[in-house]
Amino acid sequence: MLDTEVYLEKLALFGRLLRQQGMEVSPKENSDACSILLSLDMSDRETVKTALRTVYAKSRDEQLKFDRVFDSFFLSEEAIRAIDKRHQKEELERRKAMEEAEQALSEQTPNVLYSEAQKEAYSQLSEEEKRRLEELKKRMKGTTDRSVPLYTDFIRSVFMKYILEQQIKMEDAAIGAQAIDPEIGILFKDISDFHDNEIPKAVKYMQDLSSRITGELAKRRKGAKKSGSLDFRRTIRKSLETGGSLHKLAYKPSRKRKKQLVILCDVSASMVQFSEFALRFIQALNEASESSRVFLFSEELKEADPFHLQNMDAFRDYVRESGVYGKGTDLGAALKRINDERPSVLSPASVLIIVSDCKSIDIGGACREMDRSRGRAGKVYCLNPLPESKWKYSSSVMALSQKCTMLSCSTLRDLGEACRRLTLS
Amino acid sequence: MDIETLKQKMDEAHYVYDDNLITTLFVAINLDRPLLIEGEAGVGKTEVAKVVAAALGRKLIRMQCYEGLDESKTLYEWNYQKQLLSIQVNMGKTDDDTLTKSLFSDEYLLERPLLQSIRSEEPVVLLIDEIDKADEEFEAFLLELLSDFQVSVPEVGTIKAKTKPFIVLTSNRARPISDALRRRCAYLYIEYPDMEKELAILRSRVPHVDERLCVQIAQAVHDLRENEAILKKPSVAESLDWAEALHALGVRELTPELMKSTVGFVLKNNEDIATLSEALDAAEAEPEETEEYRRRHEEGEHCHDHHDHADGHLHDEDCEFEKTGKHCGRHSHA
């Protein structure tokens, strides 16, 4: 009896741990787990694991999460003690490193307050990077005496930059460590990190997704048939099947005007791989729109020839020879040229889609032109290949995200979701 | 039913299983939970339902999902023609209320798979195949059946299951299944089998095919699945088809030429076929160091058939030719 109570207690705790991992564990699942454990031979660990996994995990991702929690929860006493010892040691080391970092930072940049996360990021910097910062401080010593506030601000900004980079690295490492479904892992991978051998798989995924979205659109149009007026002729004809009773009513399909897409695609060097993926999507979804116009921009603006958009290889060559490829990004100038020189492009029936990481020069100008474009176009969306978690590190992204609907599409999954939202909205 | 009995029944149904599948089935059957099976196309998801039906000695009721599926095709439909006839025949003979009531009785109800499965006197296995092909509305419609084993017919009321069916849902993950549906099911993911399991399946399902050929097919299919460049990986169903095709051709050994000519049974798109052809051509142009080569090299045998003994060969300290004057099978020798 006591054993059973212990098991139930452990199972309840295990359920809570699964919840902490983002899995939905209801009392029903816990009660199912209890009843199945009572009917199983508990001596075989693998059988117990599979049985509990069947009850708790409802998808491939959840199975992987479950395995991780189960393997770390149901351990032998010895393993638990060893892990506890290791954790204590790691915690001690972490505290020591944090104290050292705090001391070093207060010596290097007195009167500057750092957050706990920034201190931790500093403690994770390599010795070489720390040495480089110290050398920089020594080199700048002469300037210190001349202008203390200027020097302090400069050193602070350098420190902040290093710490920020370290924080981004740490976040990336944490994302990489997450176990995801190996079958669909490519959907969660950063598009800019794709290897050559992954691109065909990614392209196939995009083709599948675009055909699925096209199907959804067709279904919507089909579903929208009832919204039209009653079709008397077809209704009377149909009633003949049921002896003249008006059993099923037929409706005239309502005509819905498709939106006009205006795509403004950033083809600066850092964006080219992503732009290609995004344009593949946009091309595949083209039939959702009555017409579309594609503009390429970096520091200059050029309208893409529709003929070249039919073939991605030709398009790639076309972009490289266009004269806009590989330069800096000036979103404001590109929008200004559309607004001033081609006023007919944006109208209330058009949807402007900007495909860019928004790391633009003259951010003030970009915001102003964005406001103008928003006033002219029906809707303005921005597909940003930067992960949403990194937007806060870029002031230009933060500023532009206030001006339009910005959708993150750093991974294929995000890109798919963004395109679905664009098409079905 | 305990796990051992279930294993025995699966053996009797000649199904190749692993512990994961058996335990999951055991849990689902014991908890009366529907079983949601996901996995790539052709890994044997539908087969699980068929085999469970055979193992439990139950009738299998199958419902294939597709876009636009609605309750009139899955649950029930009134027999309108018969109702209209009945109205005309009984007009004036019976009072209106009785006539109306009689029109919505079992006599005029056309049962579809879902209703059949819950009104059956004997418990059945209900297979809802490819649920990802159906609309989201249909998924929501299924929730009542999956959680409470009952359905609601507006004219009749709620119909509770006479016997609880064992429900198996399959999905190829063409679209995400809702959380509400997942929560009501036990979950099983079937991966592509490893080589050993593939071979066991081939032996069990195509026992008339030569053992050596089965091993070669299992190896080739395994290699194709490992190949990153192949977009649509071959499934178990395809390797079974391939085995049957090769057997029908009277093949005893799988050669690269045969592989090229029969690859349509195992790869289903042009890009993959082209990738395989290129790989086979490359392998022919640069033959790999086979077991035979290695053996001959280790023994330092002379290899007459491969080398023209031209001047300027590569020198190698380990080369037997350098030491003994015999040809090694790896280099061109002067």
Side-chain angles (χ1 to χ4, degrees):
Chain A
M1 187 63 198
L2 187 66
D3 277 356
T4 316
E5 277 176 17
V6 171
Y7 277 126
L8 292 180
E9 213 169 280
K10 284 201 169 187
L11 203 57
L13 181 60
F14 182 62
R16 279 208 295 278
L17 284 177
L18 289 175
R19 269 189 216 121
Q20 279 174 12
Q21 291 296 310
M23 288 171 64
E24 283 187 26
V25 177
S26 65
K28 171 82 176 151
E29 264 112 34
N30 277 336
S31 108
D32 281 352
C34 289
S35 50
I36 205 70
L37 282 184
L38 293 173
S39 62
L40 272 178
D41 174 17
M42 303 272 276
S43 61
D44 185 2
R45 188 176 186 273
E46 279 308 303
T47 307
V48 171
K49 185 178 173 180
T50 312
L52 290 181
R53 193 204 286 135
T54 307
V55 173
Y56 286 116
K58 305 295 181 193
S59 68
R60 187 83 171 118
D61 273 344
E62 286 193 359
Q63 282 190 336
L64 296 168
K65 275 184 196 165
F66 173 90
D67 286 353
R68 214 170 49 235
V69 176
F70 185 92
D71 290 338
S72 57
F73 185 76
F74 291 100
L75 293 164
S76 65
E77 288 291 320
E78 279 175 30
I80 292 170
R81 270 191 225 110
I83 288 172
D84 192 37
K85 209 172 167 183
R86 202 181 68 221
H87 280 175
Q88 281 180 4
K89 199 180 160 194
E90 280 172 2
E91 183 58 25
L92 267 176
E93 282 171 4
R94 197 186 72 83
R95 275 191 203 161
K96 200 180 159 196
M98 288 282 278
E99 277 168 18
E100 283 173 6
E102 199 171 349
Q103 199 180 344
L105 283 170
S106 64
E107 281 171 16
Q108 306 266 20
T109 52
N111 305 325
V112 177
L113 288 175
Y114 291 96
S115 68
E116 287 297 306
Q118 286 167 338
K119 283 178 202 166
E120 192 175 350
Y122 179 80
S123 71
Q124 304 274 334
L125 282 179
S126 68
E127 286 304 317
E128 196 187 336
E129 280 168 335
K130 283 181 186 168
R131 208 178 313 120
R132 205 179 298 154
L133 280 171
E134 203 165 337
E135 277 169 15
L136 178 85
K137 192 195 155 196
K138 280 177 192 164
R139 273 208 309 277
M140 302 294 290
K141 198 162 184 349
T143 327
T144 321
D145 305 329
R146 285 199 292 277
S147 173
V148 176
L150 192 67
Y151 166 79
T152 314
D153 281 353
F154 173 69
I155 289 292
R156 188 185 167 202
S157 67
V158 172
F159 267 69
M160 284 298 188
K161 181 178 165 282
Y162 266 81
I163 287 171
L164 209 60
E165 281 172 4
Q166 186 64 24
Q167 269 182 293
I168 293 172
K169 271 187 209 166
M170 283 159 70
E171 278 176 20
D172 285 353
I175 291 164
Q178 282 172 8
I180 48 170
D181 183 343
E183 293 283 328
I184 54 170
I186 195 165
L187 303 187
F188 298 89
K189 193 171 175 179
D190 200 314
I191 290 173
S192 53
D193 292 339
F194 277 173
H195 298 300
D196 286 349
N197 60 351
E198 287 170 327
I199 289 175
K201 199 174 173 184
V203 170
K204 185 175 179 294
Y205 167 76
M206 288 193 298
Q207 285 166 346
D208 290 349
L209 185 76
S210 55
S211 64
R212 227 177 298 149
I213 295 176
T214 312
E216 278 177 42
L217 277 172
K219 208 168 75 187
R220 279 195 163 206
R221 287 190 205 117
K222 205 172 137 193
K225 275 183 183 174
K226 281 190 180 174
S227 61
S229 57
L230 191 68
D231 188 337
F232 285 104
R233 190 169 168 271
R234 280 176 56 225
T235 304
I236 299 291
R237 282 176 75 95
K238 272 199 167 192
S239 73
L240 296 177
E241 292 170 15
T242 49
S245 319
L246 300 179
H247 178 61
K248 279 182 184 169
L249 302 179
Y251 294 87
K252 286 177 184 167
S254 58
R255 275 202 70 196
K256 196 181 172 187
R257 277 184 72 80
K258 292 177 184 176
K259 291 277 184 188
Q260 185 193 35
L261 287 185
V262 179
I263 300 153
L264 187 58
C265 188
D266 183 352
V267 288
S268 56
S270 61
M271 280 287 298
V272 80
Q273 184 171 7
F274 179 81
S275 307
E276 192 178 316
F277 274 95
L279 281 164
R280 275 181 193 275
F281 252 120
I282 290 158
Q283 272 310 109
L285 298 175
N286 212 13
E287 70 172 60
S289 110
E290 209 156 58
S291 65
S292 66
R293 293 180 77 173
V294 179
F295 294 88
L296 309 172
F297 82 99
S298 54
E299 288 168 11
E300 292 159 31
L301 179 82
K302 186 168 183 180
E303 182 162 7
D305 180 351
F307 174 75
H308 287 102
L309 283 166
Q310 303 301 320
N311 179 318
M312 283 319 291
D313 290 331
F315 177 67
R316 202 183 298 119
D317 296 339
Y318 173 75
V319 170
R320 292 204 172 144
E321 289 159 12
S322 64
V324 290
Y325 172 74
K327 295 184 177 175
T329 308
D330 192 347
L331 178 61
L335 287 172
K336 190 172 168 41
R337 279 194 63 191
I338 291 180
N339 288 330
D340 293 346
E341 294 170 22
R342 301 168 191 232
S344 62
V345 170
L346 296 180
S347 68
S350 61
V351 177
L352 173 64
I353 300 171
I354 301 166
V355 183
S356 171
D357 56 7
C358 293
K359 289 180 179 170
S360 172
I361 54 169
D362 184 18
I363 196 64
C367 287
R368 269 195 308 279
E369 290 303 322
M370 185 71 92
D371 279 338
R372 278 182 72 199
S373 308
R374 210 172 46 173
R376 303 170 65 128
K379 278 177 185 168
V380 180
Y381 291 99
C382 179
L383 300 185
N384 195 327
L386 282 180
E388 202 169 344
S389 60
K390 287 184 185 169
W391 290 0
K392 61 183 179 225
Y393 300 125
S394 167
S395 55
S396 59
V397 177
M398 288 306 284
L400 285 168
S401 66
Q402 306 296 317
K403 302 284 176 189
C404 63
T405 310
M406 195 172 284
L407 306 171
S408 171
C409 35
S410 57
T411 62
L412 281 181
R413 187 171 181 271
D414 288 347
L415 187 57
E417 279 307 309
C419 285
R420 176 175 273 121
R421 199 172 147 188
L422 289 177
T423 322
L424 302 181
S425 65
Chain B
M1 185 187 287
D2 61 18
I3 287 190
E4 289 311 314
T5 319
L6 187 61
K7 278 185 183 174
Q8 200 184 326
K9 297 208 173 214
M10 295 294 268
D11 285 334
E12 283 167 15
H14 303 291
Y15 189 80
V16 181
Y17 55 84
D18 55 21
D19 288 343
N20 182 29
L21 174 75
I22 282 291
T23 313
T24 307
L25 273 180
F26 170 78
V27 172
I29 292 170
N30 275 272
L31 294 175
D32 278 331
R33 281 288 189 109
L35 177 64
L36 171 64
I37 309 177
E38 286 191 328
E40 295 298 319
V43 288
K45 299 183 292 294
T46 307
E47 199 61 24
V48 171
K50 290 182 189 169
V51 170
V52 169
L56 300 178
R58 296 185 185 185
K59 186 183 162 193
L60 176 74
I61 297 179
R62 181 173 178 165
M63 196 180 80
Q64 178 65 46
C65 295
Y66 53 87
E67 211 178 293
L69 195 65
D70 60 15
E71 57 191 58
S72 67
K73 286 164 194 149
T74 58
L75 188 62
Y76 75 98
E77 197 171 11
W78 293 107
N79 191 338
Y80 302 119
Q81 283 81 1
K82 201 172 171 184
Q83 281 175 328
L84 285 168
L85 268 176
S86 174
I87 293 168
Q88 286 172 1
V89 169
N90 295 313
M91 193 93 74
K93 290 181 187 168
T94 48
D95 65 286
D96 290 355
D97 284 347
T98 320
L99 180 58
T100 310
K101 217 175 246 179
S102 73
L103 288 177
F104 295 104
S105 60
D106 279 2
E107 199 187 337
Y108 302 97
L109 192 67
L110 296 174
E111 283 183 357
R112 302 293 186 221
L114 295 184
L115 196 58
Q116 262 177 39
S117 70
I118 60 167
R119 279 167 49 117
S120 168
E121 295 294 335
E122 296 293 323
V124 297
V125 172
L126 171 66
L127 167 63
I128 302 175
D129 212 6
E130 304 193 4
I131 182 72
D132 53 326
K133 301 263 195 316
D135 307 320
E136 281 168 24
E137 293 85 350
F138 179 68
E139 247 184 75
F141 164 73
L142 275 181
L143 297 179
E144 187 185 5
L145 173 73
L146 297 179
S147 56
D148 299 327
F149 294 98
Q150 64 177 42
V151 289
S152 298
V153 176
E155 299 86 351
V156 178
T158 302
I159 302 173
K160 279 190 180 288
K162 286 181 185 168
T163 51
K164 283 186 180 174
F166 179 62
I167 305 175
V168 179
L169 300 106
T170 70
S171 162
N172 289 329
R173 305 205 288 185
R175 71 166 172 83
I177 304 294
S178 72
D179 284 347
L181 189 137
R182 285 180 183 278
R183 272 209 309 280
R184 285 161 173 81
C185 302
Y187 180 77
L188 173 69
Y189 184 83
I190 304 185
E191 290 181 71
Y192 287 120
D194 56 19
M195 217 189 111
E196 206 175 298
K197 194 175 168 193
E198 181 108 41
L199 193 54
I201 295 168
L202 283 166
R203 280 182 191 135
S204 154
R205 302 296 298 271
V206 283
H208 48 281
V209 177
D210 190 55
E211 170 70 17
R212 187 178 148 90
L213 184 62
C214 282
V215 174
Q216 287 177 330
I217 291 170
Q219 179 66 57
V221 170
H222 178 73
D223 290 349
L224 287 172
R225 284 190 200 130
E226 292 287 300
N227 190 340
E228 282 290 316
I230 301 288
L231 298 174
K232 167 73 183 75
K233 312 284 182 207
S235 65
V236 180
E238 277 142 9
S239 54
L240 288 170
D241 284 352
W242 201 21
E244 288 283 16
L246 290 169
H247 178 73
L249 288 170
V251 172
R252 298 236 162 226
E253 186 169 356
L254 189 61
T255 59
E257 288 74 32
L258 268 168
M259 214 168 157
K260 268 189 210 171
S261 57
T262 58
V263 72
F265 284 95
V266 77
L267 295 177
K268 305 291 179 177
N269 68 46
N270 274 345
E271 292 86 352
D272 288 346
I273 292 173
T275 307
L276 178 69
S277 299
E278 278 169 24
L280 288 173
D281 291 343
E284 271 175 33
E286 291 172 28
E288 280 182 26
E289 198 178 73
T290 60
E291 281 297 318
E292 180 68 6
Y293 269 114
R294 275 196 287 278
R295 189 186 61 74
R296 288 170 70 180
H297 181 251
E298 278 161 19
E299 289 171 5
E301 280 179 17
H302 195 103
C303 43
H304 300 281
D305 48 342
H306 289 90
H307 308 292
D308 57 6
H309 302 253
D311 282 336
H313 75 280
L314 289 167
H315 288 274
D316 186 342
E317 283 180 7
D318 297 329
C319 181
E320 284 296 324
F321 183 80
E322 304 287 333
K323 296 173 190 168
T324 63
K326 288 181 179 179
H327 283 197
C328 66
R330 287 199 304 171
H331 304 139
S332 296
H333 302 287

